[in-house]
Amino acid sequence: MAEEAKSRGNAAFSARDYATAVEHFTDAIALSPTNHVLYSNRSAAHASLHHYADALKDAKKTVELKPDWSKGYSRLGAAHLGLHQIQDAISAYKKGLEIDPNNEGLKSGLADAQAAASQSRAAPAPSPFGNVFSGPEMWAKLTADPSTRMYLQQPDFVKMMQEIQKNPSNLNLYLKDQRVMQAIGVLLNVKFGGPNSGDDMEIPEETSTPQSSASERKEDKKMEEEKVAEPEPMEVTGEEKEEKEAKERKAQAAKEKELGNAAYKKKEFEKAIEHYTKATELDDEDISYLTNRAAVYLETGKYDECIKDCDKAVERGRELRSDFKMVARALTRKGTALVKMAKCSRDYEPAIETFQKALTEHRNPDTLKKLNEAEKAKKDLEQQEYFDPKLAEEEREKGNESFKQQKYPEAVKHYSESLRRNPKDPKTYSNRAACYTKLGALPEGLKDAEMCIELDPTFSKGYTRKGAVQFFMKEYDKALETYQEGLKHDPRNQELLDGVRRCVEQLNKASRGDLSPEELKERQAKGMQDPEIQNILSDPVMRQVLVDFQENPKSAQEHTKNPMVMSKIQKLVQAGIVQMR
């Protein structure tokens, strides 16, 4: 089970669906909590989401479980580097190189960390934004603009802008925050479009808002004193007011989602549901809140609630023309809930249908895998539910009666039903092979005979059925091999002995050149379709042997001493390709 969850995580990671990868690796860890590879993989997924604190935690666990594994230190170094703990990153990479000095990944990571250390000591590069962050003018612009004025009441936003003002290169750390992007737009007199399309189930980075130090508070106070007087607010229309309130609700809904994601990570599922519910009430145009809540319901076994949320997300998503990937995610989550609820083969049908709908929206490898698993589970359950050896025996007897009356199609029908009731009965396969032979359906008869032998290699009837089919197909050499194999298990079986005699007669007939022109032509055509004959004729060595037999008797005499060459010559003779005189 842990290996399956790990495979699903790897597939999601390859598809760049890192949040889902984290979910699957977490499931795998729950099943195998001492597997260092699982923690390493989840650390990589967290790092891809820029959740470096979580990546560091998993990397440390990896090293704790497997201290002599170099990749663990590579994960550790990457997490430290993401947190700007450069010296710790350098130490981790160096420790990994002590274990594996030739590891290119560790060497590359160490080089990056050392380069970052050098850059941190060097003078900061001039900002591409000029002086827009310098002086009290920045605060005056942010205060004057209605779209950013409310952010100045939020301590974490003020803290971020102070950090950017101190060092504009810190801007890269906060570009993911939509408020910062809005502020840049105001400062540069550029309007940025907010990414408001449907989010996947991504657990965001936890943003901390540490308390300001005394010196920072003094600096804030001084800065406030230097600000220009706030202008009188412009009179806003009702439409602008509604738009402003809508933006505020969306921002609050996004915060509730972040709180829900944080609670989900801590497995505080009730709190997560509360936050996602508040988010849906504040903003009904983002279906990710519904799909996230559905994920919590799925995790806690509340499958009916999960399905309701998924249905609502699909319906609302299509109304809003949301990202098709989000609609597909909701359908996949619904299908997963239906699989969890399935108790019989029929219960899998709606789940399979739902997965198929999800794939029409977006062909995701994880969804495709879930579909294949559901179809296999349905088929296995159908066989288990239908299995009944007693009814299988009754159907086989009915087939035998029909066979005696030469009602071969009816016999096939009874034998097939018997095999559905008990697919492991070699006798029924043998009997159906005999029916197919009578009906001239030789490929089907051969397949049943081979299945009979596979189920019971000591059952001589299987060999007589297979040999008879091959004989009728005029594959006399193969039929001879089949009969001889059967005699190993039953040396005195008269049917097998008769089969050997008939095959030898046909093969000798070809060796003596007693075949009629029609028979020879037919045998040659069949032989040329045999891959083994094709390989012999395409072999340069064998082609030279055949030339020697025609033109160089002395060399031909030498070839007759080679058993392998003579075995191939004999096959060509039996196929009618070569005639010996």
Side-chain angles (χ1 to χ4, degrees):
M1 294 293 290
E3 193 63 31
E4 291 179 8
K6 175 189 170 187
S7 298
R8 290 195 291 272
N10 291 342
F13 190 94
S14 299
R16 299 182 181 276
D17 190 354
Y18 303 120
T20 301
V22 169
E23 293 177 13
H24 289 312
F25 290 138
T26 301
D27 292 341
I29 288 170
L31 296 167
S32 181
T34 59
N35 189 328
H36 64 283
V37 175
L38 298 177
Y39 287 98
S40 171
N41 288 7
R42 190 170 69 175
S43 176
H46 278 310
S48 297
L49 290 168
H50 304 293
H51 299 170
Y52 295 113
D54 294 322
L56 180 62
K57 184 178 177 182
D58 278 348
K60 285 181 176 178
K61 186 66 176 178
T62 304
V63 172
E64 177 188 328
L65 291 171
K66 189 75 171 172
D68 59 344
W69 194 44
S70 62
K71 183 169 279 190
Y73 295 96
S74 179
R75 301 294 190 214
L76 190 61
H80 278 308
L81 198 57
L83 293 167
H84 303 287
Q85 299 166 354
I86 297 172
Q87 292 305 318
D88 290 333
I90 291 172
S91 298
Y93 286 128
K94 284 183 176 179
K95 187 135 187 206
L97 286 169
E98 289 176 9
I99 297 169
D100 185 1
N102 297 319
N103 189 296
E104 292 300 326
L106 288 166
K107 288 179 181 179
S108 176
L110 178 60
D112 290 342
Q114 289 172 336
S118 300
Q119 289 174 2
S120 66
R121 290 192 293 269
S127 170
F129 297 100
N131 299 321
V132 296
F133 300 113
S134 62
E137 291 81 10
M138 178 185 82
W139 300 102
K141 284 186 178 182
L142 296 179
T143 302
D145 193 279
S147 66
T148 55
R149 185 185 306 135
M150 61 181 175
Y151 296 152
L152 295 176
Q153 307 301 318
Q154 300 172 9
D156 60 329
F157 173 78
V158 173
K159 178 68 175 175
M160 285 189 285
M161 295 307 296
Q162 288 171 351
E163 292 293 331
I164 294 170
Q165 193 172 45
K166 289 177 187 177
N167 184 1
S169 64
N170 287 336
L171 177 63
N172 292 330
L173 301 176
Y174 306 116
L175 284 177
K176 283 191 174 182
D177 194 298
Q178 191 60 32
R179 298 169 297 173
V180 173
M181 293 299 294
Q182 182 71 21
I184 294 172
V186 169
L187 295 173
L188 294 174
N189 294 321
V190 175
K191 184 175 181 181
F192 289 106
N196 216 12
S197 60
D199 296 325
D200 285 352
M201 174 69 175
E202 293 179 357
I203 308 300
E205 297 179 71
E206 296 179 7
T207 57
S208 57
T209 55
Q211 297 296 322
S212 301
S213 64
S215 61
E216 288 170 337
R217 288 196 296 271
K218 287 179 182 178
E219 184 177 341
D220 292 349
K221 186 175 180 182
K222 181 179 178 182
M223 189 178 296
E224 287 294 326
E225 291 172 354
E226 293 176 351
K227 288 182 185 177
V228 296
E230 180 177 337
E232 289 294 322
M234 295 175 62
E235 184 178 352
V236 295
T237 64
E239 186 177 339
E240 289 174 337
K241 186 176 180 181
E242 288 178 6
E243 184 179 348
K244 180 181 177 183
E245 289 175 351
K247 286 182 179 179
E248 290 175 352
R249 286 197 303 272
K250 285 183 180 294
Q252 187 59 39
K255 284 188 176 181
E256 290 293 340
K257 177 185 175 182
E258 290 179 8
L259 293 171
N261 291 344
Y264 182 87
K265 284 173 61 180
K266 297 175 183 176
K267 297 192 179 294
E268 296 174 352
F269 298 124
E270 291 303 321
K271 284 186 179 180
I273 289 172
E274 288 178 13
H275 289 302
Y276 291 139
T277 301
K278 288 180 183 177
T280 59
E281 292 169 353
L282 288 165
D283 180 11
D284 66 346
E285 294 185 353
D286 189 337
I287 65 172
S288 70
Y289 308 144
L290 287 169
T291 57
N292 283 16
R293 188 171 67 179
V296 182
Y297 285 137
L298 182 63
E299 185 79 17
T300 55
K302 297 177 181 178
Y303 303 127
D304 289 328
E305 288 85 348
C306 172
I307 291 170
K308 287 178 184 177
D309 270 1
C310 291
D311 284 339
K312 189 174 179 181
V314 172
E315 181 182 356
R316 188 66 177 138
R318 284 176 175 154
E319 288 175 1
L320 297 168
R321 296 186 178 180
S322 299
D323 185 353
F324 56 86
K325 291 181 181 178
M326 285 302 299
V327 175
R329 180 176 290 276
L331 288 166
T332 299
R333 202 151 281 164
K334 177 184 176 181
T336 304
L338 289 169
V339 166
K340 296 280 187 183
M341 296 171 68
K343 294 180 180 178
C344 64
S345 59
R346 287 186 179 180
D347 291 342
Y348 280 93
E349 292 176 2
I352 291 170
E353 183 182 354
T354 303
F355 287 137
Q356 289 170 339
K357 287 180 179 178
L359 289 170
T360 61
E361 296 286 342
H362 173 56
R363 195 163 185 82
N364 181 284
D366 184 52
T367 305
L368 183 59
K369 185 176 181 182
K370 287 178 184 288
L371 171 63
N372 293 335
E373 289 172 350
E375 289 175 336
K376 184 178 183 301
K378 178 178 181 289
K379 185 177 179 181
D380 292 343
L381 271 179
E382 283 176 341
Q383 289 182 348
Q384 292 173 20
E385 292 163 358
Y386 210 67
F387 182 79
D388 190 331
K390 185 177 179 181
L391 289 176
E393 184 64 25
E394 291 177 5
E395 288 294 331
R396 188 165 70 85
E397 288 300 325
K398 289 178 183 178
N400 292 344
E401 287 298 320
S402 297
F403 186 88
K404 290 175 183 176
Q405 296 170 20
Q406 298 184 359
K407 298 177 180 179
Y408 303 122
E410 187 176 328
V412 167
K413 181 180 177 182
H414 288 302
Y415 290 141
S416 297
E417 178 63 21
S418 176
L419 288 171
R420 280 193 286 271
R421 293 288 184 182
N422 183 8
K424 301 295 183 182
D425 184 6
K427 293 180 181 179
T428 309
Y429 278 108
S430 171
N431 292 3
R432 193 170 68 173
C435 277
Y436 281 135
T437 305
K438 291 289 186 181
L439 291 168
L442 300 181
E444 290 82 356
L446 181 62
K447 185 177 178 181
D448 273 3
E450 288 174 341
M451 180 58 75
C452 173
I453 293 171
E454 181 181 328
L455 291 171
D456 186 358
T458 64
F459 187 43
S460 57
K461 273 290 183 184
Y463 296 99
T464 59
R465 301 295 189 210
K466 182 178 178 181
V469 172
Q470 290 170 327
F471 188 89
F472 287 129
M473 295 173 76
K474 299 186 179 181
E475 295 176 348
Y476 303 120
D477 53 335
K478 292 182 180 179
L480 179 60
E481 291 176 4
T482 300
Y483 287 130
Q484 289 173 338
E485 185 66 26
L487 287 170
K488 293 179 183 177
H489 303 286
D490 189 0
R492 297 183 180 180
N493 186 289
Q494 193 58 46
E495 284 187 81
L496 294 171
L497 291 170
D498 289 343
V500 169
R501 178 181 52 77
R502 290 195 304 273
C503 290
V504 170
E505 287 176 357
Q506 289 296 325
L507 292 172
N508 286 341
K509 190 177 179 181
S511 299
R512 294 193 303 267
D514 292 342
L515 296 174
S516 66
E518 292 77 14
E519 289 176 326
L520 180 61
K521 187 176 180 180
E522 182 182 356
R523 186 168 294 191
Q524 287 174 342
K526 185 173 285 291
M528 290 302 294
Q529 295 174 0
D530 189 332
E532 187 177 4
I533 298 296
Q534 292 173 3
N535 288 336
I536 293 173
L537 292 175
S538 63
D539 183 352
V541 174
M542 286 303 300
R543 288 210 300 268
Q544 183 59 47
V545 168
L546 294 174
V547 170
D548 289 343
F549 267 96
Q550 288 181 325
E551 301 175 359
N552 193 339
K554 186 176 180 181
S555 296
Q557 195 69 25
E558 291 295 322
H559 292 316
T560 58
K561 299 176 182 178
N562 187 327
M564 187 178 295
V565 169
M566 289 308 297
S567 173
K568 292 180 179 180
I569 291 292
Q570 187 61 33
K571 287 186 181 297
L572 295 176
V573 170
Q574 292 167 358
I577 305 298
V578 172
Q579 294 185 14
M580 305 293 288
R581 299 190 184 279

